[in-house]
Structures are given as C-alpha cells and as structure tokens.
Amino acid sequence: MNKIFLRWSTAAAIAGGVFLSCGPAALAESTPLQDGLVSYWSLSEGSGTEAGDTAASGAVADNGTLRESPAWVNGIFNSGLQFTGTEDVLIPNSVDMDLGSNAVTLSAWVKLDKLPADISGSFAGILDSQADNYIMYLDKGNNELRFKVTDANGTSTSAHPGIPAAMLDTTDWHHVMGVYDGSAGSVKIYYDGVLADIASLPTTVGTVRSGQVTSLGAQPTTADPYTASNFYEGGISDVALWTRSLGEAEAEYLYNGGTGNAVGAANPSIDAVAPLAATKPTAQPVIYYAMDGDLTNQGTGGAALNGVFHDGPGMAGPQFATTNHGQGLDLSSNPEATSSTSGNEDVGQYVSVDYTLPDQGTIELRFSSESSYNFQSLWANSVHSNAWESWVYGNQRLAARGNNAANAANLDFLLTLVGGIEENHHIAFTWERSGDTMDASLYIDGVLREVSTENWLAPGSTFYLGGGPGNHLGKGVYDEFRIYDVPLNDSEILYLTQVPEPSSVLLVALLAALGGVSHGRRRAC
C-alpha cells in the first residue's frame, strides 16, 4: 500500500461516534492565511530576471535572482518557472530567511518532469540549501519528494517525511506543503491537500537553524558565489514561507480541489479542522491483559494466550499497582540497563505469551516509569532481539519497529514533549503488510507521531512484555495491554486513550473506598 494517511472525514467520524476529551476541545480561532507569511514568491512576473517577494509580514523583500535563465511558463496561477537542470533562482540570506521560530511551513506548486528515481543526481532541489535548514527536494535513493528541517543544534528529522513516487506523476501540477512544529516535535508533508507522511524530530531545541541561502530549482553553496548543484527539472509556481505551522485546513484551501488558491490572491481567515471523533473499535483484541491482579487473557484468544510471568532469583513474583484503570503490572523492582536473562536464567521480571503476530495488527498499552536508561524494553519478540520491539532510550525517546535489517526505519518520539516518562502514556503501534514491505504507525497519547514503510520480517512465535531474552528489562507499570489482528484507525486509537473499561472504573472506585494506595503517578487521559 502507498504511504499516505487519508484521515477520516470529520463529519463521518462525528456521525460514527462521540467525541470524548479530558478537557475542553474547542477549535482554534480562525487565523488569517497570511499571518506569519515572511516570504512569498508568486512567480507571476512572466518575464525578467527577478522573482519578487511580496509577503506583507516580511521584514525585507527576499527577491530572488534568476540564474542561467529559467523559462517563464504558464503556472498553476498566471505564470511560473520551468527548470531544465541547469538553472536556479538564488535567494540570499536575510532576517526573514533566518526564521527565528520553532515552526515553519513551506508551500509550493510543482509539475515534475522526472520522478525521483529518474533524476540525474542523488537529489534535486525544489527549494533547497546546502545547510538543509528547511528544504523541499526529490530524493533518488528513497524515490520520494521530501521535506526536511534542521534545528539550531544541527539535528534533523529522524525520518524525513516524503511523498512516494507511486503517488507522483509528470503530467499535472500538484500542491506540496511541508510543515514543522517544534513544540510538538512533528514534521509533516501534505500532498494535494491531504497529509501524506509524518515524522518526528528527536530533540527539544525546536528553533529552526539560521544561516540559509536558498535556491528555487537547485541547491546553492553557503558562500559566494553560491554555486548551484543538485538541479531540479520541472515547473515551480506560487512558493510561500511561514514562521508558523499550518495544518490540514490550510492545505485543503490551498489545493482547492485541484484548481488551487494562490497564497497572495486573498487573505481569508481559515478555521482549524474539527477535532477527531473517538470511535469504539469494532474489532475485538486477540489478547487483552487488564492487569487487574493477574495475567488472564480477556481477549478472543482465550486462556491459551494467558500471560506467563518470568521471575528472577530473589524477586517477589508479580506485583500490581493501583492505576487509573484499576491495576497495572508493576515491574519497577527490575534493575536498570540489565539484560532479562543471563545464560538461560531469568534475571528480572517480564511476561511472555506464545503468540505469532499476524500480517496486520495493533499493539497498544499504557506505560509509565520513574527511570529512563538505555534501553528500557516495552515489548520484544523471539524472532530477533532487535526486531518487533519497542523501547525507551535514556533521553526518554520512545521507539518501535518491526524489522532491524535494511530499510528498517525506527518510529520514535520524545516523551519529554508530552510530560516525560513519569507520566502515564498510551502507546499504540499499528502495521499492515503488503508483499515484502509493511506500513507502520506510532501513536502516543492518541496522536499519530510517526509513520514508516519498512521491509517485512516474519515475527517469531513468542511475544515478550517488559523484556525477554536478548533485551534489557523494563522498569515501570504496564497496564491495559492489547493485541489486535487488525490495524486500528486514528479515531479507534483515540477512543482507547480516553475510555477506561467499565470494570476498571468500578475497581478504581472500590479501591478508593477501601483506601487503596496510589503510587503517586500523575493522572493522564
């Protein structure tokens, strides 16, 4: 399947379920489209050697100089520029180009002459720079049209969001919008008004790196005479740059069903898209451990898939802590950064179940910990110690993957952006196989954080929770663990983050009435 994430229509989602929230979910106020617009090259001149910048919010006019005479052609609106692989438009560094913000949006209309796999070099710049501070380009090796951002520490996106060649063509104009939100740690790319891919930035710095000298149609060097390379072949029209993160509503407006709306034609106030409606999953989990005092499977797989508890020497057996959903399995007594086994002997505590993950599915659970170290295991698998696993790094970056071999893109997200590892977080990993590859998604607290396409690796026959042979032990509280044999969608995962099981609600009330002791973990939805 193609790597594109067509979100549920808001109207259909509202009709299909009820929106639930831990607090007010009011829409953001309408925002004028041109708020934060610091540079805008409409490329509507139709002649001459200059591409004028007409952004009202810019401090200076970031006019571009046409080099080697790219041709003026009919663009998506009025005119645009045609590049044949030897030309560019050089845009010097300025106070506008040095954004000074933790957000950036780059919008452009493009008409490709070559698909990424067919370009002459490794890359072809649509809006590019040698510094790669914020760029849009064709990537030959990955066969995608990509967006990349680099922060002030020099850290770039862990997986640059891209539009795969299977979605691209060389016949029509298409709208592309790259969006970076440093406060949320997300980097997205929209294609023809729809979110096509999302990745995360493994840093909390946020601010976009300064010092970019930019070209349309190529990649210039950082020093005079700013020699161009990595040339693009095709048309470019209506290019805009904001110091804020635009969203789905703006992407839909700018695409406008294919006819487009020019950034500079009007300055409408655009409402944010309505919040996603939470919908109860129609599928039933194959495995469901409520962790309310035992590891009994309440899923459709029955008692054959009950959890097996592994206990190392001197350990006290399974312990359960009070949580917002009844109880959770407490592995907090495990030692940090310690392998689950030494030889054939268990060292600490973890859970196993004899179950082979299917070709598609969802793994989801709640987790909190009072420690972060390399590498704290959430789950693992017998096929390989570094495949079909999820773990937390010492910097509190949570990661998950199916394959550890070639083309294995880890999904990850910094928990420090959403309260840290001490908070109780809902974590979901979905996958769907298509031949020799699979598409995977990582959700944290009901929000899609990153996606990837990677080579398929058949899972092993044993699944581990909190460690397992070849993996470090987990040290935290595990709760509401489920495995489904279908990939849940956004609204279903959101539902699971917000709705406790009725039995758990009653248990919490009972424990409270009996004076049950809380472990002091802060409440999370």
Side-chain angles (χ1 to χ4, degrees):
M1 58 185 291
N2 291 333
K3 183 169 65 175
I4 185 166
F5 294 84
L6 302 171
R7 293 189 177 271
W8 288 58
S9 123
T10 301
I14 292 174
V18 57
F19 181 76
L20 302 166
S21 175
C22 297
L27 289 175
E29 294 182 2
S30 297
T31 304
L33 177 65
Q34 294 182 21
D35 274 16
L37 180 69
V38 291
S39 299
Y40 174 48
W41 306 277
S42 65
L43 304 180
S44 60
E45 288 86 353
S47 63
T49 60
E50 184 175 86
D53 167 24
T54 58
S57 298
V60 297
D62 299 300
N63 299 328
T65 301
L66 278 62
R67 301 194 295 183
E68 301 299 327
S69 303
W72 292 99
V73 296
N74 291 329
I76 186 68
F77 317 108
N78 300 316
S79 62
L81 285 173
Q82 176 69 26
F83 299 86
T84 62
T86 59
E87 319 93 340
D88 74 322
V89 177
L90 180 66
I91 302 165
N93 182 247
S94 73
V95 292
D96 289 343
M97 304 306 287
D98 287 347
L99 304 173
S101 69
N102 68 347
V104 58
T105 298
L106 176 60
S107 168
W109 282 86
V110 298
K111 185 177 184 293
L112 307 182
D113 283 352
K114 290 184 177 180
L115 295 176
D118 300 325
I119 62 178
S120 57
S122 298
F123 309 101
I126 297 171
L127 186 148
D128 205 351
S129 78
Q130 192 176 67
D132 288 353
N133 295 348
Y134 47 91
I135 62 173
M136 186 180 291
Y137 62 102
L138 300 181
D139 185 320
K140 183 172 186 174
N142 290 285
N143 204 17
E144 290 186 335
L145 191 165
R146 289 188 158 191
F147 175 64
K148 177 183 178 181
V149 172
T150 303
D151 77 1
N153 270 356
T155 304
S156 66
T157 47
S158 56
H160 314 314
I163 302 163
M167 295 171 57
L168 302 170
D169 62 58
T170 57
T171 56
D172 298 311
W173 286 93
H174 294 280
H175 182 253
V176 182
M177 188 173 88
V179 180
Y180 168 61
D181 184 344
S183 63
S186 69
V187 190
K188 303 176 182 180
I189 192 166
Y190 291 83
Y191 184 63
D192 287 346
V194 176
L195 178 64
D197 198 6
I198 181 172
S200 66
L201 196 73
T203 176
T204 55
V205 173
T207 304
V208 179
R209 186 167 62 183
S210 60
Q212 174 153 304
V213 176
T214 301
S215 275
L216 298 178
Q219 180 190 64
T221 58
T222 56
D224 195 4
Y226 311 112
T227 305
S229 62
N230 295 317
F231 292 97
Y232 165 79
E233 297 178 56
I236 300 176
S237 180
D238 214 63
V239 182
L241 179 68
W242 289 263
T243 55
R244 65 183 178 94
S245 56
L246 275 62
E248 182 181 354
E250 287 91 350
E252 290 176 351
Y253 170 81
L254 292 170
Y255 176 61
N256 192 31
T259 61
N261 281 308
V263 171
N267 189 23
S269 290
I270 298 178
D271 291 334
V273 172
L276 183 69
T279 306
K280 185 175 182 179
T282 56
Q284 296 299 312
V286 178
I287 296 176
Y288 170 33
Y289 303 151
M291 307 293 193
D292 290 338
D294 58 40
L295 295 171
T296 300
N297 180 32
Q298 299 177 30
T300 60
L305 298 180
N306 285 348
V308 176
F309 191 79
H310 297 255
D311 206 12
M315 307 295 281
Q319 303 293 308
F320 296 89
T322 302
T323 70
N324 292 323
H325 295 79
Q327 290 181 296
L329 179 65
D330 191 350
L331 302 183
S332 297
S333 59
N334 273 333
E336 293 184 7
T338 300
S339 177
S340 299
T341 57
S342 177
N344 294 321
E345 298 296 324
D346 292 324
V347 173
Q349 299 177 328
Y350 62 94
V351 176
S352 71
V353 56
D354 291 334
Y355 177 70
T356 302
L357 295 169
D359 284 0
Q360 60 177 6
T362 302
I363 298 168
E364 61 98 14
L365 78 161
R366 292 179 177 274
F367 176 76
S368 63
S369 176
E370 295 176 358
S371 300
S372 56
Y373 53 87
N374 292 344
F375 304 91
Q376 179 163 200
S377 295
L378 271 68
W379 68 77
N381 191 273
S382 60
V383 65
H384 192 282
S385 60
N386 292 322
W388 288 101
E389 64 170 350
S390 178
W391 69 99
V392 182
Y393 290 95
N395 65 354
Q396 302 193 33
R397 180 162 56 98
L398 186 147
R401 64 184 170 194
N403 198 338
N404 68 308
N407 193 29
N410 292 350
L411 298 167
D412 54 34
F413 184 74
L414 270 175
L415 293 179
T416 50
L417 293 168
V418 287
I421 198 171
E422 298 86 0
E423 296 280 357
N424 180 274
H425 294 288
H426 182 271
I427 300 155
F429 176 78
T430 72
W431 71 95
E432 185 170 5
R433 180 182 179 184
S434 178
D436 293 332
T437 64
M438 78 172 193
D439 292 331
S441 303
L442 176 66
Y443 297 79
I444 307 293
D445 297 335
V447 177
L448 179 64
R449 304 295 183 177
E450 192 163 354
V451 299
S452 72
T453 299
E454 59 185 83
N455 290 336
W456 171 258
L457 175 67
S461 59
T462 307
F463 184 92
Y464 302 105
L465 189 65
N471 289 90
H472 286 173
L473 292 160
K475 184 179 175 68
V477 176
Y478 298 72
D479 198 11
E480 296 294 307
F481 171 73
R482 298 176 178 87
I483 297 180
Y484 293 81
D485 58 8
V486 297
L488 300 183
N489 62 43
D490 292 7
S491 63
E492 291 172 325
I493 289 172
L494 180 62
Y495 180 92
L496 292 173
T497 70
Q498 298 175 334
V499 182
E501 293 295 310
S503 59
S504 300
V505 174
L506 293 174
L507 182 57
V508 170
L510 177 61
L511 289 171
L514 295 174
V517 178
S518 168
H519 280 216
R521 301 181 191 278
R522 288 171 282 178
R523 183 180 184 277
C525 299

